[in-house]
Amino acid sequence: MVTQKQTEEAIVSANSSETDNQDVYREEDEEKENSKLSFKNLFWHGGSVYDAWFSCASNQVAQVLLTLPYSFSQLGMLSGVIFQVFYGILGSWTAYLISVLYVEYRTRKEKENVSFKNHVIQWFEVLDGLLGPQWKAVGLAFNCTFLLFGSVIQLIACASNIYYINDRLDKRTWTYIFGACCATTVFVPSYHNYRIWSFLGLGMTTYTAWYMTIAALVHGQVEGVTHSGPTKLVLYFTGATNILYTFGGHAVTVEIMHAMWKPQKFKYIYFLATLYVFTLTIPSAVAVYWAFGDQLLTHSNAFSLLPRNGFRDAAVILMLIHQFITFGFACTPLYFVWEKVIGVHDTKSICLRALARLPVVIPIWFLAIIFPFFGPINSAVGALLVSFTVYIIPALAHMLTYRKATARKNAAEKPPFFLPSWTGMYILNIFVVVWVFVVGFGFGGWASMANFIKQVDTFGVFAKCYQCKPTPPPKH
């Protein structure tokens, strides 16, 4: 029989738990109210499911949109479409796993009365809390390295794209200029404050994708067009790795979730964002490959083949702005890590945090100037870093977190409605680990490194204008 004392203790415990939960989300609720009252906050403080959707969709495709037709020329039309759908679904699944692990970690910490006020939870902290310091080190190393090179790639791509409009300045000079522009992202405190930028970024990507589709169809097929892909295994797996990289944009999933007022609602947002991204990537890649065929094997950037006119120049400019936004998305988790290292993460001073973040931007800027060849780096990063960061580590972490019956019984998030069995989840996770390790890391790593080595002779450290048109000799 339950005594009166036990009943009172249960009521007190329930009330305490409810109070703790209210405290955890009080700050988010206050921001939500503020966002309804202030026109300024309407553009600055985002945390709804719509903000998260825009962030995921905007961040998922940037410069890679322009290289997907190149991947199709390596893979062939059918394989290109199949790999896009396959890796899109695979990426959505591992993003779902990351969201589940985040909720599990946060729920456990809430029970310990841990407050996250002025603290942004990151992926390596989730791994640390659930699996221990060794997993923290692995997650931190892979995530930071991936985001570092992702930021470098965006900066190089900015210089490469603007060169199609204005070639009076060399690419290295453009890198100096855009490095200074991208450094202004240090003033954006967190993903709460990317509301308007995410919205605009997705609009810019949408315009560029449909411009590519329509321009290719209007242009028609070039004379003697051929579609011979796939022809070599190296090219095939290089193209597949680029698509693996395309749908591996959720290295920032935890930070986007933490910026939500109700992060439990994130579950299927990444998948819904991927469905929209399919409407951009598949038609544009198919149309451009249909029009130019094997010419794309030597033109990795679709802008280099599309006719120059006002519409193309507008697409270039919009992609430049979007790459600036993507640079901020990739750098922000690095900013958080650095702030935590030097002990300024919990300060509310935007200027102090911005000043503290500058040491993160400077080496990225410097690396972009030293190694201005993002094409080969892109596929290498996809095979060696994205395969682990985005696919293998989340699947392994989920299996290990719920390996015990008690963990599964007390799980904050139960298996999804479309796979309501823990056994089914384990089978799917094992498939993800094996497939990505063998095909993505194994064959993809071999192909990307073979391609990298093949192009070593064309590389030039501190190259003034990598892969630019040769300067015509002076007339006598």
Side-chain angles (χ1 to χ4, degrees):
M1 182 180 293
V2 179
T3 65
Q4 182 178 357
K5 182 177 180 181
Q6 288 174 321
T7 304
E8 291 173 353
E9 287 177 351
I11 294 172
V12 170
S13 176
N15 290 338
S16 175
S17 176
E18 184 178 353
T19 302
D20 291 341
N21 192 55
Q22 289 173 349
D23 289 340
V24 169
Y25 291 105
R26 184 173 296 155
E27 182 182 3
E28 287 91 337
D29 290 338
E30 288 174 358
E31 289 184 11
K32 187 175 181 180
E33 289 302 315
N34 288 338
S35 68
K36 295 177 181 178
L37 300 174
S38 168
F39 181 78
K40 178 182 177 181
N41 286 347
L42 183 65
F43 292 96
W44 185 247
H45 289 291
S48 67
V49 292
Y50 302 104
D51 291 306
W53 183 86
F54 276 112
S55 293
C56 289
S58 176
N59 185 52
Q60 200 169 128
V61 176
Q63 174 68 20
V64 76
L65 180 70
L66 307 176
T67 63
L68 284 174
Y70 168 63
S71 297
F72 269 51
S73 70
Q74 297 171 317
L75 289 164
M77 189 80 78
L78 180 61
S79 290
V81 174
I82 290 173
F83 269 114
Q84 276 207 45
V85 175
F86 176 70
Y87 281 129
I89 293 173
L90 217 61
S92 298
W93 172 250
T94 53
Y96 170 81
L97 296 180
I98 292 172
S99 71
V100 167
L101 293 173
Y102 169 88
V103 171
E104 182 68 36
Y105 169 78
R106 185 159 181 172
T107 301
R108 292 184 186 182
K109 289 299 180 182
E110 286 170 11
K111 292 178 180 177
E112 299 171 8
N113 296 322
V114 176
S115 173
F116 295 109
K117 187 176 182 180
N118 297 329
H119 181 93
V120 176
I121 299 173
Q122 295 188 264
W123 177 228
F124 68 90
E125 293 170 320
V126 173
L127 291 174
D128 183 27
L130 297 177
L131 298 173
Q134 293 86 356
W135 279 84
K136 173 186 177 181
V138 171
L140 189 61
F142 273 103
N143 228 41
C144 288
T145 307
F146 169 40
L147 292 170
L148 175 70
F149 280 103
S151 302
V152 171
I153 288 168
Q154 293 303 323
L155 197 50
I156 298 170
C158 283
S160 177
N161 282 345
I162 192 64
Y163 190 76
Y164 288 115
I165 292 181
N166 186 338
D167 58 5
R168 289 190 293 273
L169 297 177
D170 58 76
K171 290 182 181 178
R172 187 170 67 189
T173 302
W174 281 119
T175 305
Y176 290 141
I177 295 170
F178 279 101
C181 294
C182 289
T184 59
T185 58
V186 299
F187 290 100
V188 183
S190 73
Y191 288 103
H192 273 301
N193 313 113
Y194 273 99
R195 166 175 278 184
I196 187 63
W197 293 112
S198 297
F199 176 78
L200 292 175
L202 188 58
M204 295 166 188
T205 309
T206 301
Y207 171 87
T208 303
W210 284 108
Y211 154 73
M212 290 168 60
T213 305
I214 296 169
L217 293 176
V218 170
H219 180 276
Q221 292 185 311
V222 295
E223 187 177 352
V225 65
T226 55
H227 301 86
S228 57
T231 56
K232 298 179 180 178
L233 281 177
V234 170
L235 293 178
Y236 189 83
F237 285 108
T238 301
T241 304
N242 189 42
I243 295 180
L244 178 83
Y245 179 81
T246 302
F247 295 97
H250 43 287
V252 297
T253 298
V254 170
E255 288 84 359
I256 291 174
M257 281 189 71
H258 191 82
M260 294 179 67
W261 294 314
K262 299 295 180 184
Q264 294 93 333
K265 295 182 178 180
F266 183 87
K267 294 179 189 176
Y268 309 116
I269 287 176
Y270 195 91
F271 176 68
L272 296 175
T274 300
L275 292 180
Y276 180 77
V277 168
F278 281 155
T279 69
L280 307 181
T281 58
I282 294 176
S284 60
V286 166
V288 175
Y289 179 53
W290 169 82
F292 298 100
D294 291 346
Q295 284 189 19
L296 286 159
L297 288 169
T298 54
H299 296 79
S300 59
N301 190 321
F303 281 150
S304 62
L305 290 174
L306 293 169
R308 181 170 182 176
N309 52 41
F311 293 108
R312 196 204 72 163
D313 288 352
V316 172
I317 292 170
L318 291 178
M319 281 303 293
L320 284 171
I321 300 171
H322 185 254
Q323 283 165 323
F324 163 78
I325 298 168
T326 306
F327 179 92
F329 264 97
C331 260
T332 298
L334 296 176
Y335 295 154
F336 293 156
V337 172
W338 181 244
E339 287 171 359
K340 292 170 185 176
V341 168
I342 63 176
V344 299
H345 183 62
D346 57 351
T347 183
K348 292 186 177 181
S349 172
I350 294 178
C351 292
L352 178 59
R353 292 179 69 183
L355 187 63
R357 290 172 171 188
L358 281 177
V360 177
V361 178
I362 293 172
I364 292 172
W365 196 0
F366 194 56
L367 285 170
I369 294 167
I370 299 175
F371 307 111
F373 29 88
F374 72 88
I377 293 176
N378 227 16
S379 56
V381 167
L384 305 179
L385 295 175
V386 174
S387 57
F388 281 92
T389 303
V390 171
Y391 298 93
I392 294 175
I393 291 177
L396 284 175
H398 188 273
M399 288 191 289
L400 291 174
T401 299
Y402 298 108
R403 66 189 181 277
K404 295 180 180 179
T406 52
R408 295 193 293 273
K409 182 180 179 181
N410 299 318
E413 292 284 344
K414 301 301 180 184
F417 70 91
F418 56 87
L419 197 67
S421 160
W422 286 103
T423 302
M425 293 192 74
Y426 266 77
I427 292 172
L428 184 52
N429 285 339
I430 291 170
F431 170 78
V432 170
V433 172
V434 173
W435 175 275
V436 175
F437 184 80
V438 173
V439 178
F441 176 71
F443 287 108
W446 161 73
S448 61
M449 293 312 297
N451 182 50
F452 194 94
I453 293 169
K454 182 181 178 181
Q455 297 189 48
V456 162
D457 292 337
T458 70
F459 297 162
V461 177
F462 290 105
K464 190 174 184 179
C465 204
Y466 179 68
Q467 288 187 342
C468 295
K469 298 176 183 178
T471 304
K475 295 181 180 181
H476 296 290

